[in-house]
Amino acid sequence: MDKLCKYGTHRVIEPKGVLPQPAWKIDNTPKIYKNEILIDVDTLNIDSASFTQIEEQSIKEGKEVSDIILETVSKRGKQHNPVTGSGGMLIGKVADIGEQLSGKIDLKKGDKIATLVSLSLTPLFVERIDSVRSETDQVDIEGKAILFESGIYAKLPDDIDDNLALAVLDVAGAPAQTQRLVKEGDTVIVIGAGGKSGLLCLYEAKKKVGQNGKVIAVEFSDEGIERVKEVGAYDEIIQGDATDPVELLEKVENVLDGEMADLTINCVNIPSTELSSILVTKDRGTIYFFSMATSFTQAALGAEGVGKDIDMIIGNGYAYNHSDIAINILREDQAIRNMFQRIYT
Amino acid sequence: MDKLCKYGTHRVIEPKGVLPQPAWKIDNTPKIYKNEILIDVDTLNIDSASFTQIEEQSIKEGKEVSDIILETVSKRGKQHNPVTGSGGMLIGKVADIGEQLSGKIDLKKGDKIATLVSLSLTPLFVERIDSVRSETDQVDIEGKAILFESGIYAKLPDDIDDNLALAVLDVAGAPAQTQRLVKEGDTVIVIGAGGKSGLLCLYEAKKKVGQNGKVIAVEFSDEGIERVKEVGAYDEIIQGDATDPVELLEKVENVLDGEMADLTINCVNIPSTELSSILVTKDRGTIYFFSMATSFTQAALGAEGVGKDIDMIIGNGYAYNHSDIAINILREDQAIRNMFQRIYT
C-alpha cells in the first residue's frame, strides 16, 4: 500500500499517481485507514446532470436506474458518472473515525452529516438500493462511504429539514465569502440577487455594511425581483440586464449618484456578465465571481480593456465554517427560511 | 452627439449602445473631444494572431498586407481584425490633450507613449502606410489615433530600447501584482518561472520577501531552468510538470519540509495547472492566476474538491503604475535586461 495521503491517493487503483477525482477506479473497501472516516450512507443526492443522463440511459437500454448506478459503482468504486463526469453528495451517519483523526475533528460516531465533496471522488460501497426518487434526484441505499482527511462535510442540524439544509449547503461558499469580504460602510452590489446564492449574499451583506453602508440588488427577472422584495435585505433594487454593461452602468450611476461599488458579488447563472461587474465596481474595489458561467479571459481582458485596477476573485465553494454560516441564516431569518422551504423542499 | 463617456461610447457608430471594443464600427475622425487624447501614430504593433491571419489572406487573395489593413480601418474605424477579433497596441507621440484632461494626467504634447489598451477599441485614422515589418508584426504609418479617458498608456523611456520596453509592458500587470501581494517573510512559489512574466514575478517576489522569506521557482523546460538560473532571483528551483499535481506536490513538500506557499503565482501558458497551484498553497493562502490558460471552473471546483480555503485571484493586466514597475526592473537588474534584450529585440 502507498503511504496514507490526506487527499486519498492511497485508494487510487487506476491509473496510479493521480488524485481520486480524475482516477478511473478507486478502492471502495468499506474498512477505513487511520486517516479516514467511515459513513453509513442513507441517501445519495445525485448531481442533476448525472441523474438526467442515467434516466435517459435507463429508457434507451431498458435497464433500471438502480442497475445503472450499481454498475458504475462496481466498475469505478464511486458514483462517478462516466458520461457526464459529475457526482453529487451524500447523507449518512458517522460509523467510524480513523485513529489519526479521532479527537481532532468535531465529529463523533452517530453524527448525521452531508459530505460536501463530490461523489466523483468518494469511495462508495453499495449493499442494496432501497428506492430511487426521481423528483429530487435522490437514491436511498444501504452502504458505506469513505471520507478522506481533506474531505469536507457538514453536520446536519436537528432543527432544520434535511432537504432545506441541503439546498442551502449546496451554495454555502457564497454567504461565507460575503461575510468575509464586506466591510462596515461598504457599498455592495449583488448581481443576480434573486437566485438562491444571491439572496443569501444579500442577507449577509446587509448585516455587515451597517448604517453607513448600502446594498444594491440587481436582478433581471420579475420573479427574482419579487423574491428580493420578500427577503427585504437591500437598500435599492435595480431591474436590469447584466449582459448589457452600458445600460446597467447607467442604472447604477443613477441610483448611486455616480458612485460605484466597493464590492460586487456576481451570482448570475448566464455568461457575459463580467464587463457589467467590472464597470459598476470602483477602482481598487473587489469583484467576487460566484457564478460558474464566469469566463476567466473575459474578466481578465475586460478589466485591462477599461483600465480598472480592481481585484477579481474566483468563487471558492469552500471556506471555514461555511456550512454553519449558511445554515444559521435559516435560523436568523424567517423570511428566507419560509421562501426556501416553499421553493426547495 | 451622445454625452461624452470615459469609455468612448460617444464614438460608437454601429451598433449603438455598446462599448467601442464589441462595436462593429466607431468614429475615427482625427479631432478630439474634450475628454480624449490625440496621438500621432508611428507604429502599429499588430497582435500576432491577427498579423498571421492578414498575411495568409494577403497570399490567398493576392492583396498587399497594407491594403488589407487600410480596408479594415476604413470599414471599422479601428484596426480590429474581423476574423481573429484581436487588435494589438500602438506607439506614437501625444499630439493634443482634451481640455477636460489637460493638467490632470501626466502627459504633455510630444511625449512618446505606447497605448496599453487594445487596437480593437482604439479609433484610428490612417493617412499612409510607410512600411510593413513582418518579422516583428509591426507596421509604420502616418496617421492619428484617439485614446479615451479610460484608456491606459505608458510613456516610453529614453534610456531603454522601444522594443525592449514593449516586450516588458506586454506583461506589466504580473510584476505589479506580485509587488502588491508579496509580504515580508512569505514563502512564494512561481509556477512557470522561466517565461517572460515568470522571471519578472520571481524578481519582484525575491525583492519583497526579504531575509526571512523564500522564493521557489517551478519550471518545466531545461531552457526555462537555465533562464531562471541566469536571473538568479530564487531560493530553490524545482523542475517539474504542473499538470501532474501529485508529483509536483511531493517535490514541493520535499523542498519546503512539508510547508506550503503563502502565495502561489501561476504564469504557466498551458491548461490544467490549477490543481497543482491549489495543492502547493497553504490554507488561507492566495493564488494569483496570471495565465490566460486558466479555467475558472477547474480552479473553483478544484479548491472545493480538496477542501482548501484559499483566495484565488484572476490576473488583471492593469494595476496603477504597472508600466513604471515593469520598466524599472530593466533599470534595476542587468541580468534580466541583458537576457530580454537578447531574446525579445
Side-chain angles (χ1 to χ4, degrees), chain A residues 3 6-7 9 17-19 22 116-118 121 150-152 170 177 180 244-247 249-250 253 275 278-279 283-284 289-297 299-301 303-320 322, chain B residues 3 6-7 9 17-19 22 116-118 121 150-152 170 177 180 244-247 249-250 253 275 278-279 283-284 289-297 299-301 303-320 322:
Chain A
K3 70 171 186 175
K6 64 191 277 199
Y7 302 115
T9 55
V18 305
L19 287 168
L116 301 179
V117 284
S118 174
L121 59 84
S150 67
I152 48 176
D170 189 35
Q177 302 286 5
R180 199 181 256 171
D244 185 339
V246 177
E247 191 192 286
L249 175 62
E250 220 174 271
E253 281 178 335
L275 198 52
I278 290 164
L279 291 188
D283 262 308
R284 297 309 300 123
F289 286 105
F290 195 70
S291 162
M292 282 296 156
T294 306
S295 154
F296 184 91
T297 46
L301 297 176
E304 187 175 352
V306 296
K308 274 271 179 113
D309 187 0
I310 49 180
D311 294 333
M312 298 181 285
I313 304 179
I314 297 173
N316 183 346
Y318 176 64
Y320 289 137
H322 68 331
Chain B
K3 70 171 186 178
K6 63 192 278 200
Y7 302 115
T9 56
V18 304
L19 287 168
L116 301 180
V117 286
S118 175
L121 60 85
S150 67
I152 48 176
D170 189 33
Q177 302 286 5
R180 198 181 257 171
D244 185 338
V246 176
E247 191 193 285
L249 175 62
E250 220 174 270
E253 281 178 335
L275 198 52
I278 291 164
L279 291 188
D283 263 306
R284 297 309 302 122
F289 286 106
F290 195 70
S291 162
M292 282 296 155
T294 306
S295 154
F296 183 91
T297 45
L301 297 177
E304 186 174 354
V306 297
K308 275 271 179 113
D309 187 0
I310 49 180
D311 294 334
M312 297 180 287
I313 304 179
I314 296 174
N316 183 345
Y318 176 64
Y320 288 139
H322 68 331

Side-chain angles (χ1 to χ4, degrees), chain A residues 131-177:
Chain A
S131 68
V132 174
R133 284 178 275 139
S134 45
E135 64 284 5
T136 54
D137 305 344
Q138 289 179 325
V139 181
D140 295 329
I141 69 161
E142 311 274 316
K144 300 273 190 293
I146 307 287
L147 195 62
F148 299 127
E149 190 177 346
S150 67
I152 48 176
Y153 56 84
K155 279 198 263 193
L156 286 174
D158 296 328
D159 58 333
I160 289 168
D161 182 281
D162 283 357
N163 284 319
L164 180 58
L166 279 178
V168 171
L169 290 172
D170 189 35
V171 294
Q177 302 286 5

Side-chain angles (χ1 to χ4, degrees), chain B residues 38-50:
Chain B
L38 188 68
I39 304 165
D40 242 330
V41 182
D42 294 321
T43 304
L44 307 176
N45 288 267
I46 309 277
D47 163 76
S48 156
S50 173

Side-chain angles (χ1 to χ4, degrees), chain A residues 260-305:
Chain A
M260 299 283 114
D262 298 293
L263 172 67
T264 299
I265 300 170
N266 184 320
C267 296
V268 183
N269 225 351
I270 57 162
S272 299
T273 62
E274 296 85 359
L275 198 52
S276 284
S277 311
I278 290 164
L279 291 188
V280 302
T281 306
K282 67 172 68 154
D283 262 308
R284 297 309 300 123
T286 299
I287 306 176
Y288 179 75
F289 286 105
F290 195 70
S291 162
M292 282 296 156
T294 306
S295 154
F296 184 91
T297 46
Q298 284 204 33
L301 297 176
E304 187 175 352

Side-chain angles (χ1 to χ4, degrees), chain B residues 18-314:
Chain B
V18 304
L19 287 168
Q21 203 279 335
W24 172 253
K25 184 171 185 173
I26 58 179
D27 173 11
N28 65 350
T29 311
K31 193 176 165 305
I32 52 170
Y33 291 107
K34 290 176 187 174
N35 67 341
E36 297 177 338
I37 297 164
L38 188 68
I39 304 165
D40 242 330
V41 182
D42 294 321
T43 304
L44 307 176
N45 288 267
I46 309 277
D47 163 76
S48 156
S50 173
F51 197 85
T52 306
Q53 186 279 326
I54 295 171
E55 280 188 315
E56 285 168 4
Q57 188 184 339
S58 141
I59 294 165
K60 212 169 120 193
E61 301 183 358
K63 284 181 186 167
E64 295 292 324
V65 164
S66 52
D67 288 336
I68 296 172
I69 291 172
L70 287 171
E71 209 176 286
T72 298
V73 174
S74 86
K75 267 190 201 154
R76 307 195 68 173
K78 53 183 178 174
Q79 178 43 43
H80 187 180
N81 186 315
V83 180
T84 64
S86 54
M89 52 207 278
L90 63 82
I91 301 175
K93 284 176 211 74
V94 175
D96 202 2
I97 298 174
E99 62 179 77
Q100 276 181 22
L101 300 180
S102 194
K104 288 178 196 155
I105 54 174
D106 64 342
L107 285 183
K108 56 181 194 312
K109 283 187 198 177
D111 280 345
K112 192 167 189 184
I113 63 171
T115 59
L116 301 180
V117 286
S118 175
L119 287 179
S120 65
L121 60 85
T122 305
L124 178 69
F125 180 85
V126 181
E127 286 161 45
R128 193 175 68 228
I129 292 185
D130 291 327
S131 68
V132 174
R133 283 176 277 139
S134 44
E135 63 285 3
T136 55
D137 305 344
Q138 289 179 326
V139 181
D140 295 329
I141 70 162
E142 312 274 316
K144 299 273 191 294
I146 308 287
L147 195 62
F148 299 127
E149 191 177 347
S150 67
I152 48 176
Y153 56 84
K155 279 198 262 192
L156 287 174
D158 296 328
D159 58 333
I160 289 168
D161 181 282
D162 283 357
N163 285 317
L164 179 58
L166 279 178
V168 170
L169 290 172
D170 189 33
V171 294
Q177 302 286 5
T178 301
Q179 198 184 77
R180 198 181 257 171
L181 286 168
V182 174
K183 290 184 296 295
E184 209 265 308
D186 273 356
T187 295
V188 179
I189 295 178
V190 179
I191 304 184
K196 187 162 67 171
S197 55
L199 292 166
L200 297 173
C201 291
L202 274 187
Y203 177 80
E204 283 299 332
K206 187 71 186 131
K207 250 190 2 187
K208 287 288 293 281
V209 297
Q211 298 257 329
N212 301 315
K214 219 179 231 178
V215 175
I216 291 91
V218 174
E219 168 63 38
F220 179 71
S221 73
D222 293 340
E223 302 75 32
I225 294 280
E226 285 312 306
R227 286 193 293 270
V228 170
K229 286 183 180 164
E230 188 177 333
V231 167
Y234 63 89
D235 295 287
E236 307 277 355
I237 298 186
I238 294 174
Q239 186 160 16
D241 179 357
T243 65
D244 185 338
V246 176
E247 191 193 285
L248 188 66
L249 175 62
E250 220 174 270
K251 288 182 177 175
V252 168
E253 281 178 335
N254 285 341
V255 163
L256 291 178
D257 289 328
E259 279 286 291
M260 299 282 114
D262 298 292
L263 171 67
T264 299
I265 300 169
N266 184 321
C267 296
V268 184
N269 225 350
I270 56 162
S272 300
T273 62
E274 297 85 359
L275 198 52
S276 284
S277 310
I278 291 164
L279 291 188
V280 302
T281 306
K282 66 172 68 155
D283 263 306
R284 297 309 302 122
T286 299
I287 305 176
Y288 179 76
F289 286 106
F290 195 70
S291 162
M292 282 296 155
T294 306
S295 154
F296 183 91
T297 45
Q298 283 204 34
L301 297 177
E304 186 174 354
V306 297
K308 275 271 179 113
D309 187 0
I310 49 180
D311 294 334
M312 297 180 287
I313 304 179
I314 296 174

Side-chain angles (χ1 to χ4, degrees), chain A residues 48-327:
Chain A
S48 154
S50 173
F51 198 84
T52 305
Q53 186 278 327
I54 295 171
E55 280 188 316
E56 285 168 3
Q57 188 183 339
S58 143
I59 292 164
K60 212 168 120 192
E61 301 183 358
K63 285 182 187 167
E64 295 293 323
V65 165
S66 52
D67 287 337
I68 297 173
I69 291 172
L70 287 171
E71 210 175 284
T72 298
V73 174
S74 85
K75 267 190 201 155
R76 308 195 67 173
K78 53 182 179 176
Q79 178 43 42
H80 186 178
N81 186 314
V83 180
T84 64
S86 55
M89 53 207 278
L90 62 81
I91 302 176
K93 285 174 210 75
V94 175
D96 202 2
I97 298 173
E99 61 179 77
Q100 277 182 22
L101 300 180
S102 193
K104 287 179 195 153
I105 54 174
D106 64 341
L107 285 183
K108 57 180 192 310
K109 283 187 198 177
D111 279 348
K112 192 165 188 185
I113 63 171
T115 60
L116 301 179
V117 284
S118 174
L119 287 179
S120 66
L121 59 84
T122 305
L124 178 67
F125 180 86
V126 180
E127 286 161 45
R128 195 175 67 228
I129 291 185
D130 291 328
S131 68
V132 174
R133 284 178 275 139
S134 45
E135 64 284 5
T136 54
D137 305 344
Q138 289 179 325
V139 181
D140 295 329
I141 69 161
E142 311 274 316
K144 300 273 190 293
I146 307 287
L147 195 62
F148 299 127
E149 190 177 346
S150 67
I152 48 176
Y153 56 84
K155 279 198 263 193
L156 286 174
D158 296 328
D159 58 333
I160 289 168
D161 182 281
D162 283 357
N163 284 319
L164 180 58
L166 279 178
V168 171
L169 290 172
D170 189 35
V171 294
Q177 302 286 5
T178 301
Q179 198 185 76
R180 199 181 256 171
L181 286 168
V182 175
K183 290 184 298 292
E184 209 264 307
D186 273 356
T187 295
V188 179
I189 295 179
V190 179
I191 305 184
K196 187 161 66 170
S197 56
L199 292 166
L200 297 173
C201 291
L202 274 187
Y203 178 80
E204 283 298 332
K206 185 73 184 133
K207 253 194 353 190
K208 288 288 295 279
V209 297
Q211 298 257 329
N212 301 315
K214 218 177 232 181
V215 176
I216 292 90
V218 174
E219 168 63 39
F220 179 70
S221 75
D222 294 340
E223 302 76 30
I225 295 281
E226 286 313 307
R227 286 193 294 271
V228 169
K229 285 183 181 163
E230 187 177 334
V231 167
Y234 63 89
D235 294 288
E236 306 278 355
I237 299 187
I238 294 174
Q239 186 160 16
D241 180 357
T243 66
D244 185 339
V246 177
E247 191 192 286
L248 188 67
L249 175 62
E250 220 174 271
K251 289 183 178 175
V252 168
E253 281 178 335
N254 285 343
V255 163
L256 291 179
D257 289 326
E259 279 287 292
M260 299 283 114
D262 298 293
L263 172 67
T264 299
I265 300 170
N266 184 320
C267 296
V268 183
N269 225 351
I270 57 162
S272 299
T273 62
E274 296 85 359
L275 198 52
S276 284
S277 311
I278 290 164
L279 291 188
V280 302
T281 306
K282 67 172 68 154
D283 262 308
R284 297 309 300 123
T286 299
I287 306 176
Y288 179 75
F289 286 105
F290 195 70
S291 162
M292 282 296 156
T294 306
S295 154
F296 184 91
T297 46
Q298 284 204 33
L301 297 176
E304 187 175 352
V306 296
K308 274 271 179 113
D309 187 0
I310 49 180
D311 294 333
M312 298 181 285
I313 304 179
I314 297 173
N316 183 346
Y318 176 64
Y320 289 137
N321 291 325
H322 68 331
S323 53
D324 289 345
I325 292 167
I327 292 288

